[in-house]
Amino acid sequence: MSQFEGQNIVDFLKVFPDDESCLVYLGDLKWKDGFQCVKCGHQSGCQRKDHGYFCYRCKHIESPTAGTLFHKVRFGLRKAFCIAFEMSTSSKGISSIQMGKRYGIRQGTAWFFMQKVRKAMESSQKWPLCELVHVDEFVVGGQEEGKKGRSYNTQKTKVIVGVELNQKRGIKRVYAQVIDDYSSKSFTPFFEQHISKDAKIVTDKWRGYTPLKKQYNIDQIPSNKGKNFKELHLIIHQIKSWIRTIPTHASKFHMKKYLDEFSYRINRSQFKQTIFHKIIERMVKHKPVYQYQIIQNLSV
Ligand SMILES: [Zn+2]
């Protein structure tokens, strides 16, 4: 198969003129290393004209979308591909209201599908931030306020963010996670999942970081009103404006998904040529997610 590359929407629409071309693309991805029947595990069969795979042993016909995040997409695969394309290639966030209007589907339908795309954007946790990493926390939602003395306003969602910097202090990668409070206990899962033990970590003087020094190489320096953490504050600013583009459901409950989406796109900004293909690949590998699971925010 040839994988789609680039960010050109005209090329994209030429390669995917209809639902069928998308189905073929999914099938090629799903069975690129050969077929294995989901029902009985048998490995021989043939692909039918409708692009489903027919198992010679149990006669089950498997659709390219079965068992993937495209399972039961009812508004058409081409629209689904377009939404994934826009989400992975545009640099600004697009709300589900806007997306719904653009593709003639209900806002709710757009929102559910976008949550599935975000699901595929979740970090694999295989590549923790390393080298020089700056870490800080901030709040999103509600009114803006200065950071003095940390906010304990429960209306807002608290977030911890880590930024990996290169030698010229350029931003390489970013991870962010929702936290309950500013204690070292709440910081710990973020460190474990997203920061390498070998990283040289810099934070401000907040005492919540001090206990983590036992396991991590942390240097605490004065923030100097943010001057010592310029790159970090640029990212925090971007995350806040990003969240503002998502007026519906930008609740604490679903914040994780938006943060995952933000990080995914920043971390792959140097690989924009293949970003669409990669997201489709992840969506094919990921097991289906159902609406009730998204509503209840179950981890799947
Ligand atoms: Zn079978």
Side-chain angles (χ1 to χ4, degrees):
M1 71 175 292
S2 60
Q3 66 173 49
F4 180 82
E5 285 188 2
Q7 301 176 73
N8 184 320
I9 195 149
V10 177
D11 291 348
F12 177 83
L13 295 172
K14 256 185 232 162
V15 173
F16 301 105
D18 47 29
D19 290 346
E20 195 184 1
S21 50
C22 302
L23 197 62
V24 170
Y25 200 81
L26 292 183
D28 286 353
L29 256 175
K30 189 175 183 180
W31 296 304
K32 70 173 188 293
D33 302 319
F35 166 76
Q36 185 169 25
C37 178
V38 282
K39 294 275 177 194
C40 75
H42 195 60
Q43 293 187 328
S44 72
C46 63
Q47 206 161 4
R48 294 160 28 117
K49 277 201 180 121
D50 66 2
H51 311 292
Y53 227 104
F54 176 77
C55 171
Y56 284 151
R57 190 203 272 162
C58 75
K59 317 278 189 249
H60 176 70
I61 300 159
E62 188 180 324
S63 151
T65 60
T68 76
L69 281 175
F70 290 97
H71 189 61
K72 300 219 160 113
V73 166
R74 298 193 198 282
F75 53 85
L77 271 184
R78 190 189 193 214
K79 288 180 182 177
F81 266 49
C82 288
I83 292 172
F85 181 75
E86 294 210 56
M87 285 176 76
S88 52
T89 57
S90 72
S91 52
K92 291 271 191 302
I94 304 166
S95 73
S96 56
I97 299 172
Q98 229 178 326
M99 207 67 103
K101 280 183 193 154
R102 208 176 275 201
Y103 295 105
I105 56 179
R106 289 188 312 114
Q107 178 266 329
T109 307
W111 185 79
F112 275 114
F113 183 73
M114 289 169 82
Q115 291 297 80
K116 292 179 187 179
V117 178
R118 291 183 183 113
K119 191 78 210 169
M121 291 177 168
E122 236 171 47
S123 156
S124 66
Q125 299 182 13
K126 281 184 201 153
W127 311 102
L129 304 177
C130 50
E131 294 166 45
L132 179 59
V133 180
H134 285 188
V135 178
D136 201 1
E137 344 79 46
F138 62 99
V139 288
V140 278
Q143 285 175 316
E144 296 288 315
E145 70 175 71
K147 211 184 115 204
K148 276 217 166 120
R150 264 71 179 171
S151 161
Y152 286 93
N153 185 340
T154 50
Q155 298 284 306
K156 297 176 181 180
T157 303
K158 300 174 188 75
V159 176
I160 186 167
V161 56
V163 174
E164 179 183 311
L165 300 172
N166 65 22
Q167 284 169 345
K168 290 176 185 162
R169 286 184 72 119
I171 295 159
K172 280 176 77 181
R173 293 187 301 145
V174 175
Y175 285 117
Q177 198 169 78
V178 175
I179 46 174
D180 290 333
D181 53 43
Y182 302 124
S183 66
S184 61
K185 189 171 170 257
S186 295
F187 293 165
T188 303
F190 178 75
F191 274 71
E192 286 174 353
Q193 289 162 21
H194 296 300
I195 305 179
S196 162
K197 288 251 157 65
D198 304 323
K200 184 187 178 321
I201 303 162
V202 186
T203 71
D204 64 13
K205 294 279 196 181
W206 176 245
R207 62 176 183 271
Y209 293 106
T210 317
L212 289 158
K213 285 182 174 173
K214 278 180 223 146
Q215 290 187 61
Y216 293 89
N217 172 12
I218 300 174
D219 189 13
Q220 291 195 278
I221 62 167
S223 160
N224 193 15
K225 290 184 181 136
K227 281 188 191 125
N228 288 334
F229 296 94
K230 266 188 195 149
E231 301 78 12
L232 193 59
H233 286 111
L234 178 72
I235 287 292
I236 292 174
H237 177 75
Q238 285 181 12
I239 294 177
K240 287 182 172 185
S241 0
W242 164 259
I243 298 294
R244 255 181 249 122
T245 64
I246 312 161
T248 44
H249 303 278
S251 62
K252 179 178 177 181
F253 197 57
H254 293 295
M255 192 64 77
K256 178 185 181 304
K257 295 271 194 317
Y258 300 115
L259 297 174
D260 288 343
E261 184 185 357
F262 180 86
S263 306
Y264 186 87
R265 301 193 322 177
I266 290 269
N267 297 350
R268 278 161 192 76
S269 50
Q270 281 149 42
F271 311 102
K272 280 277 185 188
Q273 281 295 100
T274 54
I275 196 168
F276 171 76
H277 179 78
K278 290 284 174 207
I279 200 70
I280 298 296
E281 193 173 57
R282 277 174 165 228
M283 290 183 78
V284 167
K285 281 186 187 150
H286 201 291
K287 63 180 190 229
V289 172
Y290 297 94
Q291 289 203 358
Y292 78 93
Q293 294 169 315
I294 292 173
I295 293 164
Q296 295 170 19
N297 206 22
L298 299 173
S299 64
V300 276

PDB file of all heavy atoms in Angstrom, residues 49-78:
ATOM      1  N   LYS A  49     -14.956  -8.553  -2.640  1.00  0.00           N
ATOM      2  CA  LYS A  49     -15.122  -7.313  -3.404  1.00  0.00           C
ATOM      3  C   LYS A  49     -15.529  -6.125  -2.525  1.00  0.00           C
ATOM      4  O   LYS A  49     -15.228  -4.972  -2.818  1.00  0.00           O
ATOM      5  CB  LYS A  49     -16.172  -7.507  -4.505  1.00  0.00           C
ATOM      6  CG  LYS A  49     -15.590  -8.154  -5.741  1.00  0.00           C
ATOM      7  CD  LYS A  49     -16.489  -7.857  -6.943  1.00  0.00           C
ATOM      8  CE  LYS A  49     -15.931  -8.498  -8.207  1.00  0.00           C
ATOM      9  NZ  LYS A  49     -16.875  -9.439  -8.818  1.00  0.00           N
ATOM     10  N   ASP A  50     -16.261  -6.432  -1.431  1.00  0.00           N
ATOM     11  CA  ASP A  50     -16.671  -5.343  -0.529  1.00  0.00           C
ATOM     12  C   ASP A  50     -15.563  -5.000   0.469  1.00  0.00           C
ATOM     13  O   ASP A  50     -15.786  -4.268   1.425  1.00  0.00           O
ATOM     14  CB  ASP A  50     -17.970  -5.702   0.204  1.00  0.00           C
ATOM     15  CG  ASP A  50     -17.808  -6.870   1.179  1.00  0.00           C
ATOM     16  OD1 ASP A  50     -16.677  -7.397   1.330  1.00  0.00           O
ATOM     17  OD2 ASP A  50     -18.814  -7.272   1.799  1.00  0.00           O
ATOM     18  N   HIS A  51     -14.363  -5.583   0.257  1.00  0.00           N
ATOM     19  CA  HIS A  51     -13.144  -5.332   1.044  1.00  0.00           C
ATOM     20  C   HIS A  51     -13.128  -6.005   2.404  1.00  0.00           C
ATOM     21  O   HIS A  51     -12.173  -5.853   3.157  1.00  0.00           O
ATOM     22  CB  HIS A  51     -12.852  -3.828   1.177  1.00  0.00           C
ATOM     23  CG  HIS A  51     -12.919  -3.117  -0.141  1.00  0.00           C
ATOM     24  ND1 HIS A  51     -12.001  -3.343  -1.134  1.00  0.00           N
ATOM     25  CD2 HIS A  51     -13.830  -2.249  -0.645  1.00  0.00           C
ATOM     26  CE1 HIS A  51     -12.345  -2.620  -2.197  1.00  0.00           C
ATOM     27  NE2 HIS A  51     -13.452  -1.959  -1.934  1.00  0.00           N
ATOM     28  N   GLY A  52     -14.177  -6.743   2.736  1.00  0.00           N
ATOM     29  CA  GLY A  52     -14.170  -7.551   3.950  1.00  0.00           C
ATOM     30  C   GLY A  52     -13.297  -8.786   3.721  1.00  0.00           C
ATOM     31  O   GLY A  52     -13.028  -9.166   2.581  1.00  0.00           O
ATOM     32  N   TYR A  53     -12.851  -9.389   4.817  1.00  0.00           N
ATOM     33  CA  TYR A  53     -12.014 -10.593   4.700  1.00  0.00           C
ATOM     34  C   TYR A  53     -12.833 -11.818   5.095  1.00  0.00           C
ATOM     35  O   TYR A  53     -13.452 -11.846   6.163  1.00  0.00           O
ATOM     36  CB  TYR A  53     -10.783 -10.456   5.610  1.00  0.00           C
ATOM     37  CG  TYR A  53      -9.505 -10.838   4.905  1.00  0.00           C
ATOM     38  CD1 TYR A  53      -8.613  -9.864   4.466  1.00  0.00           C
ATOM     39  CD2 TYR A  53      -9.181 -12.182   4.665  1.00  0.00           C
ATOM     40  CE1 TYR A  53      -7.442 -10.193   3.811  1.00  0.00           C
ATOM     41  CE2 TYR A  53      -8.010 -12.521   4.010  1.00  0.00           C
ATOM     42  CZ  TYR A  53      -7.145 -11.526   3.585  1.00  0.00           C
ATOM     43  OH  TYR A  53      -5.978 -11.857   2.943  1.00  0.00           O
ATOM     44  N   PHE A  54     -12.818 -12.795   4.237  1.00  0.00           N
ATOM     45  CA  PHE A  54     -13.599 -14.009   4.438  1.00  0.00           C
ATOM     46  C   PHE A  54     -12.698 -15.107   4.995  1.00  0.00           C
ATOM     47  O   PHE A  54     -11.671 -15.441   4.404  1.00  0.00           O
ATOM     48  CB  PHE A  54     -14.200 -14.442   3.097  1.00  0.00           C
ATOM     49  CG  PHE A  54     -14.942 -15.736   3.150  1.00  0.00           C
ATOM     50  CD1 PHE A  54     -16.223 -15.808   3.703  1.00  0.00           C
ATOM     51  CD2 PHE A  54     -14.373 -16.900   2.627  1.00  0.00           C
ATOM     52  CE1 PHE A  54     -16.911 -17.022   3.734  1.00  0.00           C
ATOM     53  CE2 PHE A  54     -15.062 -18.114   2.670  1.00  0.00           C
ATOM     54  CZ  PHE A  54     -16.331 -18.166   3.227  1.00  0.00           C
ATOM     55  N   CYS A  55     -13.076 -15.651   6.165  1.00  0.00           N
ATOM     56  CA  CYS A  55     -12.252 -16.691   6.788  1.00  0.00           C
ATOM     57  C   CYS A  55     -12.640 -18.053   6.214  1.00  0.00           C
ATOM     58  O   CYS A  55     -13.808 -18.432   6.239  1.00  0.00           O
ATOM     59  CB  CYS A  55     -12.467 -16.683   8.305  1.00  0.00           C
ATOM     60  SG  CYS A  55     -11.707 -18.085   9.144  1.00  0.00           S
ATOM     61  N   TYR A  56     -11.638 -18.798   5.712  1.00  0.00           N
ATOM     62  CA  TYR A  56     -11.911 -20.105   5.098  1.00  0.00           C
ATOM     63  C   TYR A  56     -12.395 -21.127   6.112  1.00  0.00           C
ATOM     64  O   TYR A  56     -13.125 -22.037   5.772  1.00  0.00           O
ATOM     65  CB  TYR A  56     -10.651 -20.637   4.407  1.00  0.00           C
ATOM     66  CG  TYR A  56     -10.348 -19.949   3.082  1.00  0.00           C
ATOM     67  CD1 TYR A  56      -9.025 -19.834   2.632  1.00  0.00           C
ATOM     68  CD2 TYR A  56     -11.368 -19.440   2.278  1.00  0.00           C
ATOM     69  CE1 TYR A  56      -8.734 -19.208   1.422  1.00  0.00           C
ATOM     70  CE2 TYR A  56     -11.086 -18.814   1.076  1.00  0.00           C
ATOM     71  CZ  TYR A  56      -9.773 -18.698   0.646  1.00  0.00           C
ATOM     72  OH  TYR A  56      -9.491 -18.079  -0.533  1.00  0.00           O
ATOM     73  N   ARG A  57     -11.982 -20.972   7.363  1.00  0.00           N
ATOM     74  CA  ARG A  57     -12.373 -21.986   8.334  1.00  0.00           C
ATOM     75  C   ARG A  57     -13.778 -21.745   8.897  1.00  0.00           C
ATOM     76  O   ARG A  57     -14.641 -22.608   8.793  1.00  0.00           O
ATOM     77  CB  ARG A  57     -11.358 -22.075   9.476  1.00  0.00           C
ATOM     78  CG  ARG A  57     -11.618 -23.287  10.378  1.00  0.00           C
ATOM     79  CD  ARG A  57     -11.037 -23.107  11.755  1.00  0.00           C
ATOM     80  NE  ARG A  57      -9.653 -23.558  11.843  1.00  0.00           N
ATOM     81  CZ  ARG A  57      -8.823 -23.188  12.821  1.00  0.00           C
ATOM     82  NH1 ARG A  57      -9.233 -22.336  13.745  1.00  0.00           N
ATOM     83  NH2 ARG A  57      -7.600 -23.639  12.856  1.00  0.00           N
ATOM     84  N   CYS A  58     -14.020 -20.560   9.474  1.00  0.00           N
ATOM     85  CA  CYS A  58     -15.314 -20.362  10.151  1.00  0.00           C
ATOM     86  C   CYS A  58     -16.306 -19.549   9.313  1.00  0.00           C
ATOM     87  O   CYS A  58     -17.421 -19.290   9.756  1.00  0.00           O
ATOM     88  CB  CYS A  58     -15.113 -19.723  11.518  1.00  0.00           C
ATOM     89  SG  CYS A  58     -14.734 -17.967  11.466  1.00  0.00           S
ATOM     90  N   LYS A  59     -15.896 -19.141   8.126  1.00  0.00           N
ATOM     91  CA  LYS A  59     -16.753 -18.415   7.178  1.00  0.00           C
ATOM     92  C   LYS A  59     -17.160 -17.009   7.662  1.00  0.00           C
ATOM     93  O   LYS A  59     -18.072 -16.401   7.127  1.00  0.00           O
ATOM     94  CB  LYS A  59     -18.059 -19.207   6.848  1.00  0.00           C
ATOM     95  CG  LYS A  59     -17.858 -20.690   6.603  1.00  0.00           C
ATOM     96  CD  LYS A  59     -17.396 -20.950   5.183  1.00  0.00           C
ATOM     97  CE  LYS A  59     -17.406 -22.434   4.860  1.00  0.00           C
ATOM     98  NZ  LYS A  59     -16.048 -22.976   4.691  1.00  0.00           N
ATOM     99  N   HIS A  60     -16.503 -16.551   8.723  1.00  0.00           N
ATOM    100  CA  HIS A  60     -16.800 -15.197   9.212  1.00  0.00           C
ATOM    101  C   HIS A  60     -16.247 -14.153   8.237  1.00  0.00           C
ATOM    102  O   HIS A  60     -15.162 -14.321   7.682  1.00  0.00           O
ATOM    103  CB  HIS A  60     -16.175 -14.993  10.592  1.00  0.00           C
ATOM    104  CG  HIS A  60     -16.339 -13.597  11.136  1.00  0.00           C
ATOM    105  ND1 HIS A  60     -17.558 -13.101  11.540  1.00  0.00           N
ATOM    106  CD2 HIS A  60     -15.441 -12.597  11.317  1.00  0.00           C
ATOM    107  CE1 HIS A  60     -17.393 -11.847  11.959  1.00  0.00           C
ATOM    108  NE2 HIS A  60     -16.120 -11.517  11.838  1.00  0.00           N
ATOM    109  N   ILE A  61     -17.027 -13.108   8.028  1.00  0.00           N
ATOM    110  CA  ILE A  61     -16.550 -12.017   7.182  1.00  0.00           C
ATOM    111  C   ILE A  61     -16.249 -10.813   8.066  1.00  0.00           C
ATOM    112  O   ILE A  61     -17.121 -10.316   8.778  1.00  0.00           O
ATOM    113  CB  ILE A  61     -17.591 -11.631   6.106  1.00  0.00           C
ATOM    114  CG1 ILE A  61     -17.869 -12.834   5.207  1.00  0.00           C
ATOM    115  CG2 ILE A  61     -17.104 -10.435   5.291  1.00  0.00           C
ATOM    116  CD1 ILE A  61     -19.193 -12.744   4.478  1.00  0.00           C
ATOM    117  N   GLU A  62     -14.993 -10.390   8.009  1.00  0.00           N
ATOM    118  CA  GLU A  62     -14.579  -9.290   8.882  1.00  0.00           C
ATOM    119  C   GLU A  62     -14.401  -8.005   8.077  1.00  0.00           C
ATOM    120  O   GLU A  62     -13.697  -7.991   7.073  1.00  0.00           O
ATOM    121  CB  GLU A  62     -13.253  -9.690   9.543  1.00  0.00           C
ATOM    122  CG  GLU A  62     -12.807  -8.729  10.607  1.00  0.00           C
ATOM    123  CD  GLU A  62     -11.481  -9.176  11.236  1.00  0.00           C
ATOM    124  OE1 GLU A  62     -11.254 -10.398  11.395  1.00  0.00           O
ATOM    125  OE2 GLU A  62     -10.665  -8.289  11.527  1.00  0.00           O
ATOM    126  N   SER A  63     -15.033  -6.940   8.537  1.00  0.00           N
ATOM    127  CA  SER A  63     -14.900  -5.646   7.862  1.00  0.00           C
ATOM    128  C   SER A  63     -13.577  -4.993   8.266  1.00  0.00           C
ATOM    129  O   SER A  63     -13.077  -5.217   9.371  1.00  0.00           O
ATOM    130  CB  SER A  63     -16.071  -4.755   8.259  1.00  0.00           C
ATOM    131  OG  SER A  63     -15.701  -3.403   8.208  1.00  0.00           O
ATOM    132  N   PRO A  64     -12.998  -4.169   7.374  1.00  0.00           N
ATOM    133  CA  PRO A  64     -11.776  -3.444   7.758  1.00  0.00           C
ATOM    134  C   PRO A  64     -11.958  -2.574   9.005  1.00  0.00           C
ATOM    135  O   PRO A  64     -11.008  -2.314   9.726  1.00  0.00           O
ATOM    136  CB  PRO A  64     -11.489  -2.565   6.533  1.00  0.00           C
ATOM    137  CG  PRO A  64     -12.094  -3.292   5.391  1.00  0.00           C
ATOM    138  CD  PRO A  64     -13.332  -3.931   5.955  1.00  0.00           C
ATOM    139  N   THR A  65     -13.193  -2.145   9.277  1.00  0.00           N
ATOM    140  CA  THR A  65     -13.417  -1.265  10.433  1.00  0.00           C
ATOM    141  C   THR A  65     -13.638  -2.046  11.734  1.00  0.00           C
ATOM    142  O   THR A  65     -13.509  -1.476  12.816  1.00  0.00           O
ATOM    143  CB  THR A  65     -14.663  -0.373  10.219  1.00  0.00           C
ATOM    144  OG1 THR A  65     -15.806  -1.216  10.036  1.00  0.00           O
ATOM    145  CG2 THR A  65     -14.498   0.545   9.029  1.00  0.00           C
ATOM    146  N   ALA A  66     -13.956  -3.335  11.629  1.00  0.00           N
ATOM    147  CA  ALA A  66     -14.273  -4.129  12.816  1.00  0.00           C
ATOM    148  C   ALA A  66     -13.081  -4.179  13.761  1.00  0.00           C
ATOM    149  O   ALA A  66     -11.937  -4.362  13.347  1.00  0.00           O
ATOM    150  CB  ALA A  66     -14.677  -5.544  12.418  1.00  0.00           C
ATOM    151  N   GLY A  67     -13.362  -4.002  15.037  1.00  0.00           N
ATOM    152  CA  GLY A  67     -12.304  -4.100  16.038  1.00  0.00           C
ATOM    153  C   GLY A  67     -11.329  -2.933  16.029  1.00  0.00           C
ATOM    154  O   GLY A  67     -10.229  -3.037  16.564  1.00  0.00           O
ATOM    155  N   THR A  68     -11.711  -1.822  15.403  1.00  0.00           N
ATOM    156  CA  THR A  68     -10.848  -0.637  15.381  1.00  0.00           C
ATOM    157  C   THR A  68     -11.638   0.567  15.909  1.00  0.00           C
ATOM    158  O   THR A  68     -12.825   0.448  16.210  1.00  0.00           O
ATOM    159  CB  THR A  68     -10.391  -0.286  13.942  1.00  0.00           C
ATOM    160  OG1 THR A  68     -11.484   0.339  13.252  1.00  0.00           O
ATOM    161  CG2 THR A  68      -9.945  -1.509  13.160  1.00  0.00           C
ATOM    162  N   LEU A  69     -10.998   1.713  15.963  1.00  0.00           N
ATOM    163  CA  LEU A  69     -11.720   2.924  16.397  1.00  0.00           C
ATOM    164  C   LEU A  69     -12.703   3.431  15.334  1.00  0.00           C
ATOM    165  O   LEU A  69     -13.458   4.356  15.583  1.00  0.00           O
ATOM    166  CB  LEU A  69     -10.735   4.025  16.792  1.00  0.00           C
ATOM    167  CG  LEU A  69     -10.103   3.897  18.184  1.00  0.00           C
ATOM    168  CD1 LEU A  69      -9.060   4.978  18.408  1.00  0.00           C
ATOM    169  CD2 LEU A  69     -11.157   3.972  19.287  1.00  0.00           C
ATOM    170  N   PHE A  70     -12.690   2.825  14.150  1.00  0.00           N
ATOM    171  CA  PHE A  70     -13.664   3.195  13.120  1.00  0.00           C
ATOM    172  C   PHE A  70     -14.920   2.330  13.176  1.00  0.00           C
ATOM    173  O   PHE A  70     -15.814   2.462  12.350  1.00  0.00           O
ATOM    174  CB  PHE A  70     -13.044   3.095  11.720  1.00  0.00           C
ATOM    175  CG  PHE A  70     -12.015   4.147  11.465  1.00  0.00           C
ATOM    176  CD1 PHE A  70     -10.671   3.871  11.635  1.00  0.00           C
ATOM    177  CD2 PHE A  70     -12.397   5.420  11.077  1.00  0.00           C
ATOM    178  CE1 PHE A  70      -9.714   4.854  11.416  1.00  0.00           C
ATOM    179  CE2 PHE A  70     -11.449   6.409  10.854  1.00  0.00           C
ATOM    180  CZ  PHE A  70     -10.103   6.121  11.024  1.00  0.00           C
ATOM    181  N   HIS A  71     -14.954   1.437  14.161  1.00  0.00           N
ATOM    182  CA  HIS A  71     -16.069   0.541  14.331  1.00  0.00           C
ATOM    183  C   HIS A  71     -17.366   1.351  14.458  1.00  0.00           C
ATOM    184  O   HIS A  71     -17.457   2.270  15.262  1.00  0.00           O
ATOM    185  CB  HIS A  71     -15.831  -0.269  15.608  1.00  0.00           C
ATOM    186  CG  HIS A  71     -16.793  -1.377  15.811  1.00  0.00           C
ATOM    187  ND1 HIS A  71     -16.911  -2.422  14.922  1.00  0.00           N
ATOM    188  CD2 HIS A  71     -17.682  -1.614  16.807  1.00  0.00           C
ATOM    189  CE1 HIS A  71     -17.841  -3.251  15.358  1.00  0.00           C
ATOM    190  NE2 HIS A  71     -18.321  -2.796  16.489  1.00  0.00           N
ATOM    191  N   LYS A  72     -18.343   1.009  13.651  1.00  0.00           N
ATOM    192  CA  LYS A  72     -19.671   1.635  13.721  1.00  0.00           C
ATOM    193  C   LYS A  72     -19.672   3.154  13.519  1.00  0.00           C
ATOM    194  O   LYS A  72     -20.454   3.869  14.136  1.00  0.00           O
ATOM    195  CB  LYS A  72     -20.357   1.297  15.048  1.00  0.00           C
ATOM    196  CG  LYS A  72     -20.558  -0.202  15.231  1.00  0.00           C
ATOM    197  CD  LYS A  72     -21.890  -0.510  15.883  1.00  0.00           C
ATOM    198  CE  LYS A  72     -22.299  -1.943  15.638  1.00  0.00           C
ATOM    199  NZ  LYS A  72     -22.314  -2.779  16.824  1.00  0.00           N
ATOM    200  N   VAL A  73     -18.800   3.647  12.686  1.00  0.00           N
ATOM    201  CA  VAL A  73     -18.898   5.054  12.301  1.00  0.00           C
ATOM    202  C   VAL A  73     -20.026   5.138  11.285  1.00  0.00           C
ATOM    203  O   VAL A  73     -19.940   4.561  10.202  1.00  0.00           O
ATOM    204  CB  VAL A  73     -17.563   5.569  11.688  1.00  0.00           C
ATOM    205  CG1 VAL A  73     -17.755   6.902  10.986  1.00  0.00           C
ATOM    206  CG2 VAL A  73     -16.505   5.695  12.772  1.00  0.00           C
ATOM    207  N   ARG A  74     -21.113   5.815  11.656  1.00  0.00           N
ATOM    208  CA  ARG A  74     -22.314   5.754  10.828  1.00  0.00           C
ATOM    209  C   ARG A  74     -22.450   6.910   9.839  1.00  0.00           C
ATOM    210  O   ARG A  74     -23.323   6.905   9.003  1.00  0.00           O
ATOM    211  CB  ARG A  74     -23.564   5.712  11.709  1.00  0.00           C
ATOM    212  CG  ARG A  74     -23.606   4.481  12.585  1.00  0.00           C
ATOM    213  CD  ARG A  74     -24.991   4.319  13.201  1.00  0.00           C
ATOM    214  NE  ARG A  74     -24.949   3.413  14.344  1.00  0.00           N
ATOM    215  CZ  ARG A  74     -24.889   2.097  14.239  1.00  0.00           C
ATOM    216  NH1 ARG A  74     -24.874   1.526  13.057  1.00  0.00           N
ATOM    217  NH2 ARG A  74     -24.841   1.339  15.323  1.00  0.00           N
ATOM    218  N   PHE A  75     -21.615   7.912   9.997  1.00  0.00           N
ATOM    219  CA  PHE A  75     -21.800   9.086   9.131  1.00  0.00           C
ATOM    220  C   PHE A  75     -20.892   9.058   7.903  1.00  0.00           C
ATOM    221  O   PHE A  75     -20.785  10.035   7.181  1.00  0.00           O
ATOM    222  CB  PHE A  75     -21.583  10.374   9.931  1.00  0.00           C
ATOM    223  CG  PHE A  75     -20.282  10.431  10.686  1.00  0.00           C
ATOM    224  CD1 PHE A  75     -19.127  10.867  10.057  1.00  0.00           C
ATOM    225  CD2 PHE A  75     -20.208  10.029  12.016  1.00  0.00           C
ATOM    226  CE1 PHE A  75     -17.930  10.916  10.746  1.00  0.00           C
ATOM    227  CE2 PHE A  75     -19.016  10.065  12.710  1.00  0.00           C
ATOM    228  CZ  PHE A  75     -17.870  10.513  12.072  1.00  0.00           C
ATOM    229  N   GLY A  76     -20.259   7.917   7.659  1.00  0.00           N
ATOM    230  CA  GLY A  76     -19.438   7.795   6.452  1.00  0.00           C
ATOM    231  C   GLY A  76     -17.949   7.893   6.758  1.00  0.00           C
ATOM    232  O   GLY A  76     -17.508   8.790   7.456  1.00  0.00           O
ATOM    233  N   LEU A  77     -17.214   6.945   6.189  1.00  0.00           N
ATOM    234  CA  LEU A  77     -15.778   6.888   6.476  1.00  0.00           C
ATOM    235  C   LEU A  77     -15.017   8.086   5.926  1.00  0.00           C
ATOM    236  O   LEU A  77     -14.034   8.533   6.501  1.00  0.00           O
ATOM    237  CB  LEU A  77     -15.181   5.617   5.862  1.00  0.00           C
ATOM    238  CG  LEU A  77     -15.186   4.366   6.720  1.00  0.00           C
ATOM    239  CD1 LEU A  77     -14.462   3.249   5.978  1.00  0.00           C
ATOM    240  CD2 LEU A  77     -14.523   4.619   8.072  1.00  0.00           C
ATOM    241  N   ARG A  78     -15.492   8.609   4.804  1.00  0.00           N
ATOM    242  CA  ARG A  78     -14.757   9.726   4.212  1.00  0.00           C
ATOM    243  C   ARG A  78     -14.803  10.954   5.134  1.00  0.00           C
ATOM    244  O   ARG A  78     -13.798  11.625   5.342  1.00  0.00           O
ATOM    245  CB  ARG A  78     -15.343  10.086   2.849  1.00  0.00           C
ATOM    246  CG  ARG A  78     -14.438  11.064   2.114  1.00  0.00           C
ATOM    247  CD  ARG A  78     -15.105  11.588   0.876  1.00  0.00           C
ATOM    248  NE  ARG A  78     -14.159  12.272   0.018  1.00  0.00           N
ATOM    249  CZ  ARG A  78     -14.475  13.323  -0.727  1.00  0.00           C
ATOM    250  NH1 ARG A  78     -15.712  13.766  -0.731  1.00  0.00           N
ATOM    251  NH2 ARG A  78     -13.573  13.888  -1.471  1.00  0.00           N
TER     252      ARG A  78
END
